[in-house]
Amino acid sequence: MNTFFHSVRLDREKCKGCINCIKRCPTEAIRVRDGKAMIIPERCIDCGECIRVCTHHAKKATYDHLDVLRQYEYTIALPAPALYAQFNHLEDVEIVLNALLEIGFDAVFEVAKAAEIVSDATRRYMAQPGIPKPIISSACPAVTRLIRVRFPNLIDQILPLNAPVEVAARIAREEAVQKTGLPPEKIGTVFISPCPAKVTAAKMPLGSSHSEVSAVVAISDVYPRLLKAMHTDGEVSPLAAPQAGKIGVSWASSSGEASALLNDNYLAADGIENVIRVLEDLEDEKFEHLDFIELNACNAGCIGGVLTVENPYIARTKLKRLRKYLPVSLNHASCPEQKHLKWDAPLEYAPVMKLDEDFAAAMEKMSEMERIEASLPGLDCGSCGAPTCRALAEDVVRGSASPDACIYKFRESISSLIDNLQKLNNCIPSTLRGSSSVEETHSKKGGELK
Amino acid sequence: MSILKLHYEIDGEDFTRAGEASASVKKRLRQLGVKPDATRKVSIALYEGEINMVIHAHGGDIDVEISPEAVRMVLADRGPGIENIDQAMKEGWSTAPDEVRSLGFGAGMGLPNMKKNSDEMQIETVLGKGTTVTMAVYL
């Protein structure tokens, strides 16, 4: 197994060892051990659900902060289109772009622009004969990771194109090198992200051997500073002009990417549980006549990411308002180099759910697992630290837990222990009975003599 | 060599629950490290079988045996039986009632899909008594 970087982490100090996160993790990647949650790294897909449900704020996303700008001679902001949906009464994307320059970036490259380029490339990819359909979007890194560990049969259907942020970073860096004459490593491409999965994707990309995204900051972190820098009164002469239209901006919410394909044969699902249901059905070939599947781990799409500020459904309304007067696309004829777009490291199945490398041993473990599960109460209460009784049974055969972790089993053990003690007590030979106290023995004997 | 046996009772009245057996078997095959392609075949064949049992036979019993060589599935119902197996095996042939078709099922692909996704398949049927479909997918 390779090493894992995860954006989603645990703050041990704050963790109370409750079971909220283990119950909500879609890949059963969290356990509570010794009173603290722990994440099983090979299973975590960085979807951020645990961050959402942790009432103690012990689950955190790690990301870069704006001081990262000091590490580079020239910095380019890569704002996710979801950023635009965070502000009240925003009438023009230009205001946000210029605010980004004001807080310290040297240039802005809209991820929405790259999204339009990716939409265009997707249309062309899908027009090729012999492509396995439906094609599944690769834009949400949590979904791509989920498919990689759970849906091996669908890997060939994943769109083998880089996500818009990656394409944006590549083009932006190349352009900046030409413009500034600086070496590429002195140029910082900084994604302003709605989610932790994108942080992971930048550090440990899938489908691509390396990422050109230098740093990832959270929308929620940048938001207050941007608010102060946003000028709507036109006092400042705008330096950055919008680079994308409706198509690019729409990628921020669910079905935005799919509708950009100008083909109605698509399905768009959002929210990790719904995504899993769609993938299960897709794997079982329950859908026919679909060309494209867009899946977003977060409810409502990227605007529902855990690093955003606004309620996702309000954000969607704001986005609709904002894009109303935008042109359809500003990048429909652009044809960037294929090296910016195409995956260069094909995705491989990571069978992290496998019980054992050896089939016979896996069979043994599964039989044992079925036996243990049958002996558990089936309440799925989570008190043992595993999300379900079956997960506890799995942990036991994997050697990471004991069936005694079940508090119901423990209670049974205690009560049978008490029964046994009582039985034992009754079995004490009469010669020994009461011999613990000599005085008592004497008095009793004395009593009997009388 | 050990064999893993699984048993499922299929509720004939509940469409929404059809697919539970195939999902459960699929999850186990994934944990056993069975090749993805074989897992998919079992899952599709079993799901089609489950749907058939719900549509035509008011449910029944499914027994699954997993061994290192194959996944063997026995789907037994006490439904009306199949009048003409050759016809039932033809793509597009269906005796499903209209209300079932209106749900998008009953396209006449059930048995053909089961055949396509299994390496062995036998059907034993007695009119008025029931049908037993036995399938195997080699591992």
Side-chain angles (χ1 to χ4, degrees):
Chain A
M1 281 276 148
N2 41 357
T3 51
F4 292 88
F5 168 89
H6 283 296
S7 168
V8 176
R9 306 231 177 125
L10 179 82
D11 182 340
R12 277 186 69 85
E13 292 290 304
K14 287 188 177 164
C15 179
K16 296 258 193 284
C18 74
I19 57 162
N20 285 323
C21 61
I22 60 169
K23 297 293 283 180
R24 280 287 290 275
C25 174
T27 55
E28 294 191 341
I30 315 172
R31 299 290 184 274
V32 177
R33 297 263 185 269
D34 302 322
K36 301 285 175 189
M38 55 152 273
I39 302 171
I40 304 169
E42 58 270 29
R43 289 193 185 184
C44 174
I45 56 167
D46 287 288
C47 66
E49 284 299 309
C50 55
I51 298 177
R52 240 186 272 275
V53 298
C54 181
T55 43
H56 311 291
H57 307 291
K59 285 283 170 38
K60 289 198 163 131
T62 46
Y63 43 79
D64 300 299
H65 296 282
L66 278 175
D67 53 16
V68 76
L69 296 187
R70 286 200 288 267
Q71 291 176 20
Y72 301 94
E73 281 187 32
Y74 187 82
T75 54
I76 310 156
L78 310 173
L83 175 68
Y84 313 148
Q86 309 300 310
F87 307 100
N88 291 327
H89 314 296
L90 181 70
E91 298 204 340
D92 201 334
V93 169
E94 204 174 84
I95 296 163
V96 181
L97 305 184
N98 285 292
L100 284 165
L101 295 179
E102 193 166 316
I103 66 169
F105 287 97
D106 297 304
V108 184
F109 190 106
E110 281 189 76
V111 173
K113 175 186 167 88
E116 294 189 341
I117 293 167
V118 174
S119 285
D120 204 45
T122 308
R123 281 195 293 268
R124 262 178 280 142
Y125 175 79
M126 287 179 57
Q128 294 174 74
I131 297 289
K133 284 188 184 164
I135 294 295
I136 304 166
S137 162
S138 55
C140 173
V143 171
T144 311
R145 264 160 221 278
L146 176 69
I147 293 174
R148 180 168 161 266
V149 298
R150 247 180 94 165
F151 300 96
N153 288 305
L154 300 176
I155 287 178
D156 289 346
Q157 283 165 256
I158 300 178
L159 181 70
L161 298 180
N162 287 322
V165 56
E166 188 59 42
V167 175
R170 288 172 189 221
I171 300 174
R173 188 186 299 272
E174 199 174 74
E175 285 177 1
V177 167
Q178 278 167 8
K179 188 180 158 194
T180 64
L182 287 168
E185 65 274 12
K186 302 254 179 186
I187 292 160
T189 50
V190 182
F191 182 40
I192 298 158
S193 173
C195 81
K198 290 285 189 192
V199 181
T200 306
K203 310 272 183 213
M204 261 188 63
L206 282 183
S208 170
S209 51
H210 77 293
S211 172
E212 287 287 338
V213 180
S214 317
V216 181
V217 298
I219 285 182
S220 53
D221 223 27
V222 180
Y223 181 78
R225 292 187 55 184
L226 272 183
L227 272 186
K228 279 180 218 144
M230 283 167 64
H231 304 293
T232 50
D233 46 14
E235 267 175 27
V236 186
S237 60
L239 298 164
Q243 304 151 6
K246 272 195 184 74
I247 283 184
V249 171
S250 299
W251 271 62
S253 76
S254 178
S255 84
E257 179 191 3
S259 56
L261 298 174
L262 315 172
N263 171 346
D264 282 342
N265 267 338
Y266 72 81
L267 173 160
D270 53 317
I272 194 73
E273 297 299 331
N274 300 325
V275 164
I276 290 173
R277 216 179 311 157
V278 167
L279 290 171
E280 289 284 359
D281 287 354
L282 196 60
E283 196 174 50
D284 292 349
E285 299 181 0
K286 288 182 197 169
F287 301 126
E288 286 172 86
H289 316 303
L290 275 177
D291 290 330
F292 191 78
I293 304 222
E294 179 193 324
L295 301 170
N296 288 291
C298 296
N299 288 327
C302 296
I303 42 174
V306 286
L307 302 182
T308 59
V309 183
E310 185 56 279
N311 170 308
Y313 300 96
I314 293 174
R316 189 156 65 189
T317 304
K318 290 181 179 174
L319 201 67
K320 263 189 208 154
R321 222 174 272 157
L322 178 68
R323 76 185 164 204
K324 201 170 172 184
Y325 299 107
L326 287 177
V328 175
S329 168
L330 295 179
N331 301 281
H332 60 282
S334 57
C335 198
E337 290 179 62
Q338 289 298 309
K339 66 174 183 192
H340 294 318
L341 281 164
K342 287 223 166 126
W343 274 7
D344 62 3
L347 211 58
E348 274 174 36
Y349 177 35
V352 298
M353 304 292 174
K354 200 150 76 168
L355 290 172
D356 202 292
E357 285 304 314
D358 177 60
F359 188 79
M363 287 277 285
E364 292 292 332
K365 285 183 180 171
M366 178 142 307
S367 304
E368 177 67 2
M369 218 173 115
E370 303 286 343
R371 200 190 57 72
I372 296 169
E373 190 190 358
S375 78
L376 295 170
L379 294 169
D380 293 344
C381 68
S383 302
C384 63
T388 60
C389 293
R390 188 166 176 82
L392 174 61
E394 188 185 329
D395 290 350
V396 174
V397 299
R398 286 185 190 273
S400 61
S402 148
D404 298 329
C406 172
I407 57 162
Y408 293 88
K409 295 277 278 182
F410 183 69
R411 197 171 64 177
E412 273 172 34
S413 302
I414 294 276
S415 80
S416 83
L417 193 67
I418 292 169
D419 284 351
N420 284 338
L421 276 178
Q422 222 134 33
K423 272 185 208 143
L424 271 177
N425 194 36
N426 296 338
C427 292
I428 294 174
S430 53
T431 48
L432 293 175
R433 221 169 269 167
S435 65
S436 53
S437 155
V438 179
E439 264 178 52
E440 207 183 313
T441 314
H442 281 296
S443 66
K444 263 190 186 167
K445 276 184 184 163
E448 272 165 27
L449 281 173
K450 274 175 193 172
Chain B
M1 183 51 74
S2 60
I3 290 179
L4 193 73
K5 293 181 181 180
L6 304 163
H7 178 79
Y8 302 93
E9 280 165 30
I10 306 303
D11 183 345
E13 307 303 319
D14 194 348
F15 248 105
T16 56
R17 286 185 55 191
E20 282 184 3
S22 55
S24 157
V25 172
K26 182 160 127 183
K27 190 174 176 190
R28 282 164 175 79
L29 294 180
R30 214 182 266 147
Q31 286 180 318
L32 289 171
V34 167
K35 283 197 303 281
D37 186 51
T39 305
R40 186 182 53 90
K41 281 165 72 179
V42 169
S43 180
I44 295 172
L46 205 52
Y47 178 66
E48 292 285 359
E50 267 181 86
I51 288 283
N52 274 353
M53 291 167 92
V54 174
I55 294 178
H56 299 286
H58 311 294
D61 290 277
I62 296 181
D63 284 286
V64 179
E65 284 188 9
I66 306 168
S67 75
E69 290 79 38
V71 177
R72 297 188 182 277
M73 298 157 268
V74 180
L75 293 78
D77 67 54
R78 288 169 300 283
I82 303 170
E83 215 172 294
N84 185 334
I85 293 184
D86 288 341
Q87 217 160 27
M89 289 301 297
K90 278 195 193 123
E91 293 189 4
W93 171 265
S94 177
T95 57
D98 285 346
E99 65 265 30
V100 171
R101 288 175 202 241
S102 68
L103 292 169
F105 297 100
M109 293 302 290
L111 285 173
N113 268 339
M114 288 159 77
K115 176 96 186 151
K116 200 173 103 189
N117 286 289
S118 56
D119 297 303
E120 278 175 35
M121 181 165 130
Q122 285 111 38
I123 304 174
E124 286 163 53
T125 184
V126 179
L127 279 180
K129 293 254 165 138
T131 302
T132 300
V133 179
T134 309
M135 294 183 287
V137 170
Y138 302 147
L139 301 184

